[in-house]
Amino acid sequence: MAEPEHVISDPGVQNHNNEDENEIQERSDDVEDDEDEDPESQKAKLRNRFQNFFRRIQNESVSIRVHDVLIKGNTKTKDTLIEAETASLKDASTIKELLAASGDVNFRLQALEIFDSVKITLDSGPPELPGTANVIVDVVETKSPLLGEIGVFNKGEASSSTLEGTLKYKNIFGYGDLWDGSLAYDCDHKAEASAGVFLPRFRGLGNPVTARLFLQSRDWLKFSSFKERSLGLSLGLFSTRNHDVVYNLAWRTLTDPSRMASSSIRGQLGHGLLSSLKYTFKIDRRNSPLRPTRGFAFVSTTQIGGLAPDSHSLRFLRQELDLRCAIPLGFYHSALNLGISAGVVFPWGPGFSSMPSPLPEKFFLGGNLSPVCTLGGPTSLWGFRTKGLGPTEPRRQLQNNPADENSDSGRDYLGGDLAVAAFADFSFDFPSKWLSAKGIHGHLFASAGNVDKLTENSHRNFSLQKFMQSFRSSAGVGVVIPTNLFRMELNYCCILKKFGEDRANSGFRASFSSSS
């Protein structure tokens, strides 16, 4: 993205409302003297004049009023879109405010991703209107509206990174509209095909609107004896830097091709209608999402399902909280990262206390991710595999050997209605300039977490003391190798505490994570 560019045509123009005739006469005399001086002296005087002008802008409140905003260079993009993005320029009452507003407008126009360059020029207003200025917005529309991208991404509900390829077409109708189609796949047998549109301005709304059709398939046979398929629509209703509201409508189907699912899994197989509203509040003041060394971050996600009047509608309330803090230590670029996250999900409606939470909405800890990067809720612990801990239930025995006591079909991981996870990560540079220049560094880490069941009247037997005593934990040391696409960790993990059915072992592990 290009840096904001401002051009001021004449510093004298911005000052004339406070000048008297003597100042104007002195300026005219200076111009006449400049004609008799050599070019170097003229440049030096002009440089000093601009320096004095900008010094005055910074130290004084120089009043000004924007007379007009002129838009140039757009052939396909509608004037109404650019006018909406530049409306804040007319609110400026001083030159300092006008320069700040110009930088903000430049950033917003570049963020639309439909212009190759944006140049904003501040010029004098009409001679008969002293103390005014015209703002000229000169844009160059992109020459290549078609764009392909490939990358590795994390999603809050995922337990691994996702490889995603996207094809985008920009500004088809001139409203800054961005159309895209994408394919995604991850190592946990999740595949997704989707198509969507992004509208920065929709019918005068001040916030962008997004709409996305998706077909998603997940294979959880290995862990929980079911496959999930969803077809639906995601509609972004409101989005700012800190707030995000999304409505999801999807027809979801859970199946068990193996016919070995446990009784708890079998009870949730079949069709369901997901109609939910999701609100996310996010503050991220960290200096880097992949290797934060100072700052803090907080995310709160609230989701309510069951907004459709249908018997198949999944009714639930889901809340997630995540707090992060990075503390610089002052040597070898070292920092201590601390994080704690929690989540709870509960059904609602008649007889809710005896009903289970929807299976895909439950919490599962574990996966091939670094907790440092997964901002959004409890998702992973170092050393524990995908869906590697929590309540389990034995699967049905194979029919061909029902009397064989040694036959074991395994267990299904059921997830939990309550999840808590915490971690500490101490990162530091190696005493090698070459490694430091490449961003390769070391870290010591520890993590702990637990999931438990609250639904189907289990909350009556819940004990906070037992929940804390059954926390799983791990610690280790490793090397972090950052790349343009993801953060790679080569770690040795030591499992400090686990229980019989948990899938975790001490040893070397590699993880690949991108920022959430």
Side-chain angles (χ1 to χ4, degrees):
M1 182 179 295
E3 291 295 327
E5 183 176 353
H6 314 290
V7 179
I8 299 179
S9 60
D10 182 6
V13 170
Q14 315 298 342
N15 298 335
H16 57 65
N17 61 319
N18 292 325
E19 291 180 334
D20 55 24
E21 295 181 358
N22 292 333
E23 290 176 330
I24 297 175
Q25 182 63 39
E26 290 175 2
R27 181 167 297 168
S28 301
D29 295 340
D30 290 341
V31 173
E32 294 176 358
D33 294 339
D34 289 346
E35 296 177 354
D36 300 330
E37 294 179 354
D38 59 274
E40 292 298 326
S41 299
Q42 293 180 12
K43 290 181 180 179
K45 282 191 173 183
L46 186 61
R47 188 184 304 111
N48 290 335
R49 185 180 299 173
F50 271 92
Q51 289 176 351
N52 292 334
F53 168 63
F54 283 109
R55 190 179 301 113
R56 183 182 178 190
I57 292 176
Q58 295 174 353
N59 299 331
E60 301 178 20
S61 179
V62 182
S63 299
I64 199 169
R65 181 175 63 86
V66 176
H67 173 258
D68 198 6
V69 178
L70 306 176
I71 301 171
K72 297 181 178 181
N74 58 313
T75 57
K76 188 175 184 180
T77 308
K78 307 295 183 182
D79 285 344
T80 53
L81 173 64
I82 303 178
E83 289 170 356
E85 297 293 342
T86 59
S88 60
L89 292 172
K90 293 191 175 182
D91 296 333
S93 59
T94 66
I95 295 180
K96 190 173 183 179
E97 291 179 1
L98 183 57
L99 290 175
S102 299
D104 185 55
V105 167
N106 191 296
F107 176 81
R108 291 204 302 269
L109 290 175
Q110 293 277 7
L112 295 177
E113 299 183 16
I114 60 175
F115 302 119
D116 286 337
S117 68
V118 177
K119 183 172 73 172
I120 298 179
T121 304
L122 309 184
D123 200 358
S124 59
E128 63 273 14
L129 297 175
T132 63
N134 289 333
V135 181
I136 303 172
V137 180
D138 196 354
V139 299
V140 178
E141 294 179 334
T142 181
K143 297 179 181 179
S144 302
L146 191 63
L147 176 66
E149 295 179 347
I150 187 170
V152 180
F153 305 94
N154 285 344
K155 296 184 178 180
E157 71 276 8
S159 55
S160 66
S161 295
T162 301
L163 178 65
E164 184 172 327
T166 303
L167 190 64
K168 299 181 180 180
Y169 199 94
K170 306 175 182 178
N171 209 21
I172 296 179
F173 300 109
Y175 293 99
D177 43 305
L178 182 62
W179 301 78
D180 73 273
S182 66
L183 295 173
Y185 182 81
D186 70 14
C187 298
D188 286 330
H189 308 289
K190 171 190 170 185
E192 180 178 352
S194 62
V197 59
F198 168 83
L199 295 172
R201 299 277 176 175
F202 181 71
R203 293 187 178 274
L205 294 178
N207 295 285
V209 174
T210 60
R212 189 161 209 86
L213 289 170
F214 61 87
L215 174 62
Q216 187 181 86
S217 176
R218 294 186 183 183
D219 185 351
W220 299 119
L221 286 174
K222 180 179 178 182
F223 313 111
S224 302
S225 297
F226 75 92
K227 284 187 175 184
E228 174 190 355
R229 175 169 292 185
S230 299
L231 173 64
L233 169 70
S234 177
L235 185 63
L237 303 177
F238 181 82
S239 181
T240 64
R241 179 176 298 181
N242 302 120
H243 306 274
D244 192 66
V245 179
V246 178
Y247 173 74
N248 292 300
L249 179 66
W251 185 252
R252 177 187 289 168
T253 304
L254 304 183
T255 60
D256 173 27
S258 69
R259 307 187 68 179
M260 295 171 56
S262 60
S263 60
S264 294
I265 300 295
R266 291 198 305 272
Q268 297 209 39
L269 298 180
H271 302 289
L273 178 64
L274 175 65
S275 175
S276 70
L277 195 65
K278 186 176 182 179
Y279 167 69
T280 302
F281 173 74
K282 181 177 181 179
I283 297 178
D284 194 348
R285 303 290 174 80
R286 300 174 299 172
N287 60 333
S288 169
L290 294 179
R291 188 191 177 184
T293 56
R294 66 177 181 274
F296 71 95
F298 174 75
V299 176
S300 171
T301 303
T302 304
Q303 185 176 10
I304 177 171
L307 303 181
D310 187 272
S311 59
H312 292 91
S313 184
L314 304 174
R315 296 182 174 91
F316 64 92
L317 296 170
R318 197 173 194 264
Q319 177 66 51
E320 295 175 87
L321 300 172
D322 201 338
L323 178 63
R324 305 293 177 88
C325 180
I327 306 171
L329 300 180
F331 59 92
Y332 284 105
H333 198 214
S334 60
L336 178 63
N337 275 272
L338 302 173
I340 182 169
S341 57
V344 62
V345 59
F346 220 79
W348 65 272
F352 71 92
S353 60
S354 59
M355 296 189 302
S357 300
L359 189 58
E361 310 305 330
K362 291 187 176 183
F363 293 96
F364 295 88
L365 291 182
N368 195 32
L369 292 177
S370 169
V372 176
C373 301
T374 52
L375 178 64
T379 53
S380 62
L381 297 177
W382 276 295
F384 287 81
R385 300 187 181 277
T386 302
K387 292 193 174 186
L389 60 94
T392 64
E393 194 172 286
R395 295 171 178 168
R396 288 199 294 188
Q397 295 293 325
L398 297 174
Q399 295 297 321
N400 54 356
N401 268 326
D404 187 357
E405 296 181 355
N406 296 323
S407 64
D408 185 6
S409 301
R411 303 183 71 87
D412 284 334
Y413 288 82
L414 307 178
D417 307 301
L418 173 66
V420 178
F423 77 90
D425 180 273
F426 170 65
S427 62
F428 55 90
D429 278 351
F430 294 112
S432 167
K433 294 183 179 180
W434 185 86
L435 293 176
S436 298
K438 299 294 183 180
I440 301 174
H441 61 280
H443 71 143
L444 302 171
F445 57 83
S447 62
N450 195 13
V451 294
D452 206 350
K453 182 179 180 180
L454 296 178
T455 54
E456 299 178 289
N457 295 315
S458 296
H459 63 279
R460 298 175 180 176
N461 301 321
F462 177 79
S463 167
L464 182 60
Q465 182 179 2
K466 290 182 180 179
F467 182 74
M468 299 297 292
Q469 290 176 348
S470 59
F471 260 56
R472 284 75 163 174
S473 59
S474 64
V477 61
V479 178
V480 181
I481 304 174
T483 70
N484 293 331
L485 297 178
F486 51 82
R487 163 187 169 122
M488 180 172 68
E489 294 184 8
L490 303 176
N491 298 325
Y492 180 83
C493 297
C494 178
I495 305 301
L496 303 179
K497 188 176 182 180
K498 70 172 185 176
F499 293 90
E501 305 302 334
D502 294 344
R503 299 190 308 118
N505 294 296
S506 299
F508 290 96
R509 295 286 299 274
S511 68
F512 303 87
S513 307
S514 63
S515 58
S516 297

